[in-house]
C-alpha cells in the first residue's frame, strides 16, 4: 500500500501588484508519498518523495500560469528519466514510487531506498518581482545523491517568468566576472577556465540560477554547471545596494 498526502495550508503571502489587479496570495502545497516496499519505518529507511512549495491560490490566468511554471520546474528537477507524460506533481510523486518499486523488484541485490525532497520558499517579493528558491535533495541509487538550489523569478502582474537577460544590464556580467575571478583566484589576464573550470567556449557566463533576497542577490552555479561534482557548488553574493545600478526591472 502506498500513502499519498495532499494538503493546502495557511496563507503565506499577499502581494498587491497594482490598483487594478487583485492581490496575489500564496498557500503552501504539500505532497508526500512513501513506498512500503522494503520499508522499515523504525529506522526511517523507506523510499520517500516530499514536495513543499508556495502555490498561488487565485483562479485567474496569472495564478495558473505561475503555478504551471512551478510545477514544470519541479518535474524537471526530479524526473531524471525525462518522462514526457508527467503532467502534475501528484503524477510525479506516484511515478517516482512506481519507478523505485520496479527497479527494486528487477534488481533486488542493488536495492537501496530512494529519496526526493523539494522545498520551495519565497525569498523576495515586490511590485516588480517575486523570487522563489527551490532546495532539492535527490537520491536514486549510485555512489552519491544530488543536491541543488535553483530559483525562479516571476512578474507579479502577469505570472510570467522573468528571464535572466531581463534582470540586469550587460555591464553586470563584467562586474560579476571581476568579482568571480577575485573570489576564485583566477588572474585577470588568464582564461576563465585556466584553473580547471569549464565555462562554455572559455568565456564567463552568468549562472542559470539568480535569486533575490531581501538584502542581497545570489548567483549560484550548481554542481556540474561549471565544475566537477567534487568541486561542489560555486556561489556569488552581492549586496542589493552595490548592484542596484545594474537593475533593469527593480
Amino acid at each position: 500500500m502506498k500513502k499519498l498526502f495532499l494538503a493546502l495550508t495557511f496563507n503565506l503571502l499577499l502581494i498587491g501588484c497594482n490598483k487594478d489587479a487583485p492581490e496575489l496570495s500564496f498557500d503552501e502545497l504539500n505532497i508526500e508519498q512513501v513506498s512500503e516496499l522494503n520499508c522499515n519505518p523504525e529506522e526511517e529507511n523507506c523510499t520517500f518523495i516530499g514536495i513543499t512549495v508556495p502555490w498561488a491560490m487565485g483562479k485567474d490566468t496569472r495564478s495558473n500560469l505561475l503555478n504551471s511554471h512551478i510545477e514544470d520546474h519541479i518535474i524537471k528537477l526530479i524526473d531524471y528519466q525525462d518522462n514526457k507524460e508527467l503532467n502534475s506533481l501528484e503524477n510525479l510523486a506516484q511515478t517516482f514510487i512506481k519507478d523505485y518499486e520496479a527497479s527494486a523488484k528487477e534488481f533486488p541485490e542493488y536495492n537501496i531506498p530512494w529519496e526526493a525532497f523539494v522545498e520551495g520558499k519565497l525569498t523576495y517579493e515586490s511590485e516588480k518581482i517575486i523570487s522563489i528558491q527551490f532546495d532539492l535533495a535527490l537520491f536514486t541509487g549510485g555512489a552519491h545523491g544530488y543536491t541543488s538550489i535553483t530559483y525562479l523569478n516571476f512578474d507579479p502582474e502577469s505570472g510570467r517568468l522573468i528571464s535572466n537577460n531581463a534582470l540586469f544590464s550587460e555591464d553586470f556580467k563584467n562586474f560579476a566576472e571581476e568579482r568571480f575571478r577575485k573570489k576564485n583566484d583566477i588572474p585577470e589576464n588568464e582564461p576563465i577556465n585556466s584553473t580547471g573550470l569549464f565555462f562554455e567556449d572559455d568565456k564567463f557566463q552568468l549562472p542559470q540560477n539568480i535569486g533575490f533576497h531581501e538584502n542581497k542577490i545570489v548567483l549560484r552555479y550548481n554542481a556540474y554547471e561549471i565544475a566537477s561534482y567534487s568541486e561542489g557548488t560555486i556561489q556569488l553574493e552581492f549586496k542589493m545596494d552595490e548592484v542596484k545600478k545594474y537593475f533593469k526591472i527593480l
Side-chain angles (χ1 to χ4, degrees):
M1 183 183 296
K2 303 165 190 173
K3 302 175 183 178
L4 177 62
F5 307 96
L6 175 60
L8 294 176
T9 58
F10 57 89
N11 193 342
L12 295 177
L13 175 68
L14 291 174
I15 299 176
C17 300
N18 58 45
K19 293 181 180 179
D20 299 322
E23 290 182 327
L24 185 61
S25 62
F26 287 86
D27 275 13
E28 187 175 81
L29 174 67
N30 294 292
I31 296 175
E32 296 182 359
Q33 189 161 356
V34 180
S35 172
E36 294 189 356
L37 181 64
N38 303 319
C39 178
N40 188 337
E42 293 182 0
E43 297 180 3
E44 298 183 352
N45 194 27
C46 305
T47 289
F48 169 85
I49 180 170
I51 300 168
T52 301
V53 291
W55 199 252
M57 294 306 297
K59 302 298 183 181
D60 56 304
T61 300
R62 173 186 55 173
S63 297
N64 291 336
L65 180 59
L66 193 150
N67 288 339
S68 176
H69 285 307
I70 291 175
E71 198 163 49
D72 289 346
H73 184 65
I74 294 172
I75 288 173
K76 290 176 182 177
L77 287 177
I78 295 179
D79 179 28
Y80 62 97
Q81 292 185 336
D82 194 22
N83 187 342
K84 304 298 184 183
E85 296 181 0
L86 294 180
N87 55 16
S88 72
L89 296 183
E90 294 88 344
N91 185 213
L92 170 68
Q94 294 162 357
T95 300
F96 184 83
I97 297 298
K98 288 179 182 178
D99 287 349
Y100 159 74
E101 292 178 348
S103 176
K105 291 175 182 177
E106 185 174 0
F107 306 104
E109 67 275 21
Y110 298 114
N111 175 45
I112 301 176
W114 292 4
E115 292 184 5
F117 185 73
V118 178
E119 180 182 16
K121 51 192 174 185
L122 291 152
T123 58
Y124 185 83
E125 61 271 2
S126 72
E127 293 183 352
K128 297 292 186 180
I129 187 170
I130 296 172
S131 192
I132 302 180
Q133 174 181 317
F134 299 88
D135 292 48
L136 167 72
L138 179 65
F139 178 77
T140 55
H144 53 73
Y146 178 75
T147 61
S148 69
I149 293 179
T150 55
Y151 290 92
L152 293 180
N153 297 305
F154 295 96
D155 177 352
E157 292 192 13
S158 66
R160 294 189 179 93
L161 283 175
I162 301 174
S163 69
N164 286 348
N165 290 335
L167 294 173
F168 302 103
S169 66
E170 184 65 26
D171 292 339
F172 177 69
K173 187 166 77 170
N174 298 329
F175 175 76
E177 179 175 0
E178 183 178 331
R179 180 72 61 85
F180 183 93
R181 285 177 175 271
K182 183 176 181 180
K183 181 179 179 180
N184 294 282
D185 298 319
I186 304 172
E188 183 179 353
N189 59 343
E190 294 291 331
I192 194 70
N193 291 337
S194 60
T195 60
L197 300 176
F198 39 81
F199 281 96
E200 187 175 357
D201 298 327
D202 209 3
K203 294 180 180 179
F204 176 82
Q205 298 294 334
L206 296 176
Q208 298 173 18
N209 292 286
I210 299 176
F212 289 74
H213 296 253
E214 184 175 354
N215 297 311
K216 66 180 181 181
I217 293 173
V218 173
L219 275 63
R220 185 176 179 89
Y221 299 89
N222 285 307
Y224 302 118
E225 190 172 344
I226 59 169
S228 63
Y229 180 84
S230 61
E231 295 294 327
T233 60
I234 298 174
Q235 183 165 298
L236 286 178
E237 295 185 5
F238 300 94
K239 293 181 180 179
M240 196 73 80
D241 289 343
E242 69 177 323
V243 295
K244 190 177 297 183
K245 63 182 179 181
Y246 301 110
F247 289 154
K248 282 184 178 180
I249 61 173
L250 295 184

